[in-house]
Structures are given as C-alpha cells and as structure tokens.
Amino acid sequence: QVQLVESGGGLVQPGGSLRLSCAASGFTFSSYVMSWYRQAPGKERELVADITPGGVTDYIDSAKGRFTISRDNAKNTLYLQMNSLKPEDTAVYYCKADGMGWWGTKRFVYWGQGTQVTVSS
C-alpha cells in the first residue's frame, strides 16, 4: 500500500534548525511532484515548498532563503531543511505526492500523517 511517513519534527528555539523527512513507498516516487504543506491551529493548510521530478523547486515567500526542499529518489525520501526558524513556522507539516497524470495515467495524490514543528522560547 501507499505510505508517506513524516519524521523530524520537534521543539526548537527561534533561530534554530530542523530537518524533516518523508519516507515514501508503494508508488513511483521519482515520477511525482513532492510538496511540503503546513497547517497551524485555526488556519488553512498552506503550501510551503514543492519539487518536481526534475528537481525544480519553489517556496512560499516566507520560506525563501530559510528553507530548502530536496529529494533522494534512490531512497524514496523527501526532505525539508528549515533554518532560522520563527514562531510563525509552528504548525503540523505534511508531505504530499502528486502524480499529475503526465504520463497517460490517472492522477493520484497522497498525503502523509504530519509531524509537529514547534518554535518557541
């Protein structure tokens, strides 16, 4: 079965760093657009960063210069390196896989269960 399992969240001080990981299985990881989303209490889920199969990346404005999304196709793993963390980054972070239907197939979208990131003094 398809699985996306996030890890690496935790409690950090403002200015600190975390690296989130998302281990994927059950689908062709290398063909999927992978994304990190986050959702803070009482707020809508928002896209933080994404990366295409070819390695092209994009970020929400507030993450630019601080966060780096990457992927290791050999390990079927997605990463989010978060530096210079701010209290506003506090949220549950989710990984998403999107097949896009680019290769004559149905579009499949998968979500992980989320990992908590808390930035506080």
Side-chain angles (χ1 to χ4, degrees):
Q1 64 272 57
V2 171
Q3 288 188 312
L4 294 173
V5 181
E6 299 98 331
S7 61
L11 174 64
V12 296
Q13 294 183 340
S17 297
L18 283 174
R19 189 176 79 154
L20 306 183
S21 298
C22 175
S25 61
F27 65 99
T28 307
F29 177 84
S30 61
S31 297
Y32 276 62
V33 174
M34 300 298 300
S35 305
W36 287 100
Y37 284 73
R38 68 187 180 190
Q39 188 166 26
K43 295 186 177 180
E44 295 292 313
R45 189 171 298 187
E46 65 176 350
L47 176 66
V48 177
D50 57 22
I51 183 168
T52 71
V56 177
T57 61
D58 198 15
Y59 302 88
I60 191 172
D61 283 346
S62 63
K64 291 178 179 177
R66 301 188 299 125
F67 292 4
T68 303
I69 188 171
S70 62
R71 65 195 298 161
D72 187 336
N73 288 338
K75 297 181 179 179
N76 285 357
T77 303
L78 176 73
Y79 303 98
L80 184 67
Q81 179 67 47
M82 303 187 294
N83 299 325
S84 302
L85 282 161
K86 304 174 181 179
E88 307 93 270
D89 297 316
T90 296
V92 177
Y93 284 70
Y94 301 88
C95 64
K96 186 186 81 172
D98 191 340
M100 304 300 289
W102 286 339
W103 295 277
T105 186
K106 290 182 180 180
R107 183 183 186 181
F108 293 102
V109 178
Y110 308 113
W111 290 88
Q113 84 291 341
T115 185
Q116 177 71 49
V117 171
T118 303
V119 185
S120 177
S121 299

